[in-house]
Amino acid sequence: METEHVMHTFAPVYDKKSRVLILGMFPSVKSRENRFYYGHPRNRFWKVTAAVCGCEVPETIEEKKAFLLENHIAIWDVIASCDIAGSSDSSITNVVANDIERLLTEAPIEAVFLNGAKAYELFMKYCSCKDKAEICKLPSTSPANAAWSLERLIEEWKKIRR
């Protein structure tokens, strides 16, 4: 698969009540097609966060946004643009990071959770706001992370509610 330069085209979801920020790495091809976060049907993000919050799994983009805001959760991605082949994490080069610090000044974020090791690695490398909130790496909800069952993910992701 050929590498292409890709821009992140959808806005973060947050408001003045957001206390937790969950950062992914960069939208997958499916998410870019759907124009919203965690759009791959096998990504377990929505199942995990809904279970942790004791809610029904949101289906539409509007339901997902409402779910996040009702639970004081903000979401975004570390990367604003990069060169990438499809959805391959290992192919990512020429990273430009999103302005996470701006979001942290606009919302009362107390903790930043990174969805997976690669998101954590890129955040630590490219973001200068590491001292603005508690930082925590969580196991990826990606279908590629088959070593983690849904039940184990839910248990580990309960950290976002503490």
Side-chain angles (χ1 to χ4, degrees):
M1 182 170 282
E2 194 169 315
T3 300
E4 62 179 317
H5 186 73
V6 182
M7 304 287 293
H8 195 302
T9 58
F10 35 95
V13 176
Y14 70 102
D15 66 13
K16 297 288 186 193
K17 296 178 185 173
S18 299
R19 299 277 185 262
V20 166
L21 172 60
I22 299 172
L23 292 172
M25 185 190 51
F26 190 73
S28 67
V29 170
K30 219 29 154 168
S31 294
R32 295 191 306 262
E33 287 172 3
N34 294 338
R35 301 187 48 76
F36 200 66
Y37 301 91
Y38 306 104
H40 192 289
R42 290 197 337 258
N43 191 301
R44 298 166 289 176
F45 179 84
W46 297 110
K47 287 180 183 174
V48 168
T49 53
V52 166
C53 295
C55 299
E56 293 290 317
V57 177
E59 298 295 331
T60 67
I61 291 174
E62 293 73 26
E63 288 173 358
K64 291 171 181 178
K65 286 179 181 178
F67 160 76
L68 292 167
L69 297 177
E70 286 165 12
N71 287 282
H72 310 293
I73 298 170
I75 60 170
W76 206 9
D77 288 308
V78 173
I79 299 175
S81 69
C82 65
D83 293 341
I84 188 170
S87 298
S88 170
D89 296 359
S90 61
S91 73
I92 291 176
T93 57
N94 299 320
V95 170
V96 174
N98 273 314
D99 187 1
I100 308 297
E101 190 160 4
R102 176 184 57 83
L103 190 150
L104 295 177
T105 63
E106 294 176 2
I109 301 295
E110 298 166 2
V112 177
F113 294 90
L114 287 301
N115 187 351
K118 188 70 172 181
Y120 178 81
E121 173 191 320
L122 292 168
F123 176 82
M124 297 306 282
K125 182 174 182 177
Y126 293 105
C127 297
S128 60
C129 55
K130 294 179 265 308
D131 61 342
K132 306 282 190 226
E134 177 187 341
I135 310 297
C136 180
K137 176 175 56 173
L138 292 171
S140 174
T141 59
S142 166
N145 185 15
W148 282 76
S149 68
L150 180 61
E151 294 73 24
R152 281 183 69 209
L153 282 173
I154 291 167
E155 195 57 39
E156 191 68 15
W157 274 70
K158 286 181 180 176
K159 291 176 181 176
I160 70 171
R161 301 306 290 170
R162 292 186 195 127

